[in-house]
Amino acid sequence: MTGMMSEALQAGDRSEVIRGALVRRRSPSEDRFGELTHYAMAMPGKLLRPLMLVTSAEAVGGVAETALPAAVAVEHLHVASLVHDDIIDGDELRRGRPSVQARYGVADAIVTGDALLFDLFAAVAECPAPAEVVVAVVDEFARAGGDLCRGQVLESLMTPPSAAGPGSRLEDYLDVAALKTAALFRAACRAGALLGGGSAEQADLLGDYGHHIGVAFQMYDDLLPYLDSGESGKPDVSDAANLRPTWPVLIAHRDGRREHREAVEIALSGTLDPAETLESLRHAVVGSGALSTARSLARERSRIAVARLPELPGTVAAERLSRIAEIAVDRDH
């Protein structure tokens, strides 16, 4: 099996190798516990975080195979956070199908997320790397998990908006994006650099890349309910129903005319039903030109992310990281 993985990785089929490793780790089981964890992991998305991890390892001169168990681990951490997010937000859809909590109930969903979190450490322990490197990777993931939790708490303080108005929350939004989303991208890239034998400076460079891509990813993710290009795989009204001031909404309140600011304030006041809230926000976001501005700012953040990639020794891998940056801000889900 190891030889087959090496051949596939050399052939460039990293997504399929990662998917295969995820399937093997969460193969169907006859007991309820196995069913729960398999269901949660059965439909991985674009696998950006694990792809960034193995590609970061290659970008510093290492091999993807050494980083593969950690790539599996980072996807477990990501999916666990989604399972818990769906509980917090009350979302019943995830990636186009019932969320874990919608299908199995809140109690089992909590257990599922916890189980995936614990198993990620077991996966990291399987990395064929020196013990001190494995410990450093565990530290990266643990720090990212703590940041994610801090980001969740900060996000809850933004909802509903304060009396100062949504426009005052742009800095808070960026802090939430850095903690709740970008921290895991950062950890994936730093872990890959460590497992690839990179220097401290290279780990910092890739960590900065991951941070900026993560923020850009979240900025663009918040545009999806207002774009016509596809489905996000979760209810479009989720953020609206939770009165969450997202990136384009905040831009609309900052840059729009009075009618757009008022539309945002009324929408986030909690006096409308979720569908009406989303429609009011869409009026503000589209009518104010915030959609274009928000998209441009996300792409600018992506350009910042890739600026220093040519400094890395693995030029082919660095080019792949640049392409991943493009995907992060040009997708339909």
Side-chain angles (χ1 to χ4, degrees):
M1 183 63 69
T2 300
M4 292 174 61
M5 287 192 297
S6 297
E7 291 176 7
L9 288 167
Q10 290 171 7
D13 200 4
R14 287 157 185 79
S15 293
E16 289 307 309
V17 171
I18 293 168
R19 288 182 194 278
L22 288 167
V23 168
R24 288 189 295 276
R25 192 159 197 96
R26 294 263 76 89
S27 58
S29 173
E30 294 182 359
D31 65 11
R32 174 111 172 148
F33 177 76
E35 179 184 347
L36 289 165
T37 55
H38 178 262
Y39 183 84
M41 296 295 299
M43 290 185 65
K46 293 184 181 296
L47 299 174
L48 290 184
R49 297 155 192 83
L51 282 170
M52 290 165 73
L53 193 151
V54 298
T55 308
S56 292
E58 294 174 303
V60 299
V63 295
E65 190 173 356
T66 301
L68 184 60
V72 170
V74 78
E75 187 67 8
H76 275 63
L77 177 49
H78 173 53
V79 173
S81 73
L82 298 182
V83 171
H84 287 162
D85 270 355
D86 289 341
I87 297 168
I88 293 169
D89 294 342
D91 284 342
E92 297 199 350
L93 285 178
R94 170 62 63 181
R95 293 171 176 165
R97 63 175 190 161
S99 61
V100 178
Q101 62 101 9
R103 177 160 178 167
Y104 295 102
V106 170
D108 278 347
I110 292 172
V111 171
T112 301
D114 290 348
L116 296 177
L117 290 174
F118 288 125
D119 194 46
L120 80 90
F121 296 111
V124 173
E126 296 171 8
C127 289
E132 62 271 19
V133 173
V134 172
V135 170
V137 171
V138 168
D139 181 65
E140 292 291 343
F141 288 161
R143 289 176 185 272
D147 284 346
L148 194 157
C149 294
R150 281 190 287 272
Q152 180 65 54
V153 172
L154 180 57
E155 183 179 68
S156 71
L157 296 177
M158 294 179 64
T159 309
S162 68
S168 68
R169 295 303 185 95
L170 273 167
E171 290 304 315
D172 287 343
Y173 171 90
L174 291 173
D175 287 343
V176 170
L179 291 166
K180 192 177 176 186
T181 304
L184 193 49
F185 283 82
R186 178 201 72 215
C189 293
R190 287 186 60 86
L194 293 169
L195 288 163
S199 67
E201 291 77 14
Q202 290 170 339
D204 289 343
L205 187 159
L206 283 162
D208 287 344
Y209 160 85
H211 165 79
H212 288 299
I213 290 301
V215 173
F217 180 95
Q218 185 59 58
M219 288 175 169
Y220 196 86
D221 197 62
D222 289 341
L223 301 181
L224 294 179
Y226 307 102
L227 298 176
D228 297 325
S229 56
E231 298 293 331
S232 64
K234 64 179 180 179
D236 282 346
V237 298
S238 177
D239 288 328
N242 287 287
L243 306 181
R244 188 169 294 131
T246 60
W247 179 242
V249 171
L250 292 168
I251 297 294
H253 190 272
R254 184 192 69 181
D255 296 348
R257 298 190 301 272
R258 179 177 178 179
E259 67 173 282
H260 302 127
R261 292 194 297 274
E262 289 179 348
V264 170
E265 291 165 7
I266 291 171
L268 298 181
S269 69
T271 59
L272 306 177
D273 68 37
E276 291 173 326
T277 298
L278 180 60
E279 189 55 38
S280 183
L281 293 175
R282 182 176 284 114
H283 166 73
V285 167
V286 175
S288 68
L291 195 60
S292 176
T293 300
R295 192 196 308 238
S296 295
L297 290 170
R299 288 175 173 168
E300 176 60 26
R301 180 69 71 128
S302 177
R303 287 191 288 271
I304 292 171
V306 304
R308 294 187 61 199
L309 291 180
E311 298 176 27
L312 297 169
T315 54
V316 174
E319 290 172 1
R320 283 201 296 270
L321 289 173
S322 292
R323 289 196 292 273
I324 290 172
E326 294 173 2
I327 293 171
V329 292
D330 189 12
R331 65 191 198 281
D332 59 7
H333 62 277

